[in-house]
Amino acid sequence: MYQIIKREKYILILFAVVFIMAIGFLLMYGKIESHMILNAYHTPLLDTFFKYFTQIGGWVPCAVAGILLVFKKWRVAVVILVAQLIATLITSPIKRIIRAPRPSVVLSDLGIQFPTVEGVDLHSTLSFPSGHTSAAFAFCIALAIFCPKIWQKTLFLILAIMGGYSRIYLSQHFIEDVLAGAIIGIFSAYIGYHVLRKYIIRTT
């Protein structure tokens, strides 16, 4: 496991920088105001984009894994699927224990108006951590692990961050939900790859 982390230190350092900046932003503005700042700018184009892009933490990982299996890229597909499973097994119990209200409920109770996106059903509970974000990071980091070039790894990290931001843009989650989901997703991807190397490759 240590060797995997050492090899992927660039992506982890880059994520750590973004994570620390996000934590600083959250501490500076607080839960509600930080959400309103990040959620303030909406356009019809962005509404449409994030409405569909958020599925990078939905059905997209399993669909991509299925396509990879068809083309016999089974190692990548296995890591994606195992990472998704681990992320789900971590996020689901935490959600049900904490049962944190979603932004739509918190903001409405405070009498704060916020932008909504047509066709997006706003959930009311199970906000922390963000399952879509954990799935998006598990998916993108799993793919990044198999990429040899730094620019490719960076691209997948950016896509994962955009997936997390989509949850804030759609007012499905607060920033702390997304940050927790990102940590879980990265952890799940590396554990998934570790499982592949230690238990699957050695037995085939």
Side-chain angles (χ1 to χ4, degrees):
M1 187 65 180
Y2 172 75
Q3 291 179 344
I4 300 171
I5 294 174
K6 185 178 179 180
R7 195 191 74 184
E8 298 296 316
K9 62 179 183 286
Y10 168 80
I11 201 76
L12 290 173
I13 291 171
L14 188 57
F15 171 75
V17 171
V18 175
F19 185 86
I20 291 169
M21 290 174 62
I23 289 291
F25 180 79
L26 176 61
L27 293 174
M28 183 180 299
Y29 290 103
K31 177 177 182 175
I32 305 301
E33 189 173 355
S34 63
H35 182 81
M36 296 309 296
I37 292 171
L38 293 172
N39 189 251
Y41 184 72
H42 275 243
T43 68
L45 179 61
L46 288 175
D47 285 357
T48 301
F49 174 76
F50 283 116
K51 175 181 176 180
Y52 293 104
F53 187 80
T54 198
Q55 292 303 323
I56 195 171
W59 56 264
V60 169
C62 291
V64 170
I67 293 170
L68 289 171
L69 286 172
V70 169
F71 287 95
K72 298 183 179 179
K73 301 290 184 180
W74 67 268
R75 286 184 174 88
V76 186
V78 166
V79 173
I80 290 173
L81 293 174
V82 172
Q84 293 296 306
L85 177 61
I86 294 170
T88 300
L89 290 175
I90 295 173
T91 56
S92 293
I94 298 174
K95 278 177 174 289
R96 281 158 178 77
I97 291 170
I98 298 178
R99 302 192 70 84
R102 300 269 184 158
S104 59
V105 173
V106 175
L107 297 177
S108 296
D109 287 347
L110 293 172
I112 299 174
Q113 292 186 336
F114 58 95
T116 58
V117 176
E118 185 178 356
V120 175
D121 295 327
L122 294 175
H123 302 297
S124 60
T125 188
L126 304 181
S127 189
F128 183 92
S130 168
H132 272 72
T133 302
S134 65
F137 270 83
F139 172 57
C140 290
I141 300 303
L143 290 174
I145 290 171
F146 289 94
C147 293
K149 299 184 182 300
I150 288 178
W151 72 264
Q152 295 170 325
K153 295 178 184 294
T154 304
L155 175 60
F156 280 116
L157 178 60
I158 291 171
L159 291 175
I161 292 171
M162 288 173 61
Y165 174 70
S166 73
R167 306 309 291 164
I168 299 172
Y169 185 92
L170 299 173
S171 279
Q172 297 284 26
H173 289 283
F174 290 108
I175 187 172
E176 61 262 38
D177 307 333
V178 168
L179 292 175
I183 292 290
I184 292 169
I186 290 176
F187 171 80
S188 300
Y190 287 126
I191 291 298
Y193 185 70
H194 176 70
V195 168
L196 172 76
R197 289 189 63 194
K198 188 169 184 178
Y199 299 107
I200 299 178
I201 291 178
R202 289 184 181 183
T203 60
T204 57

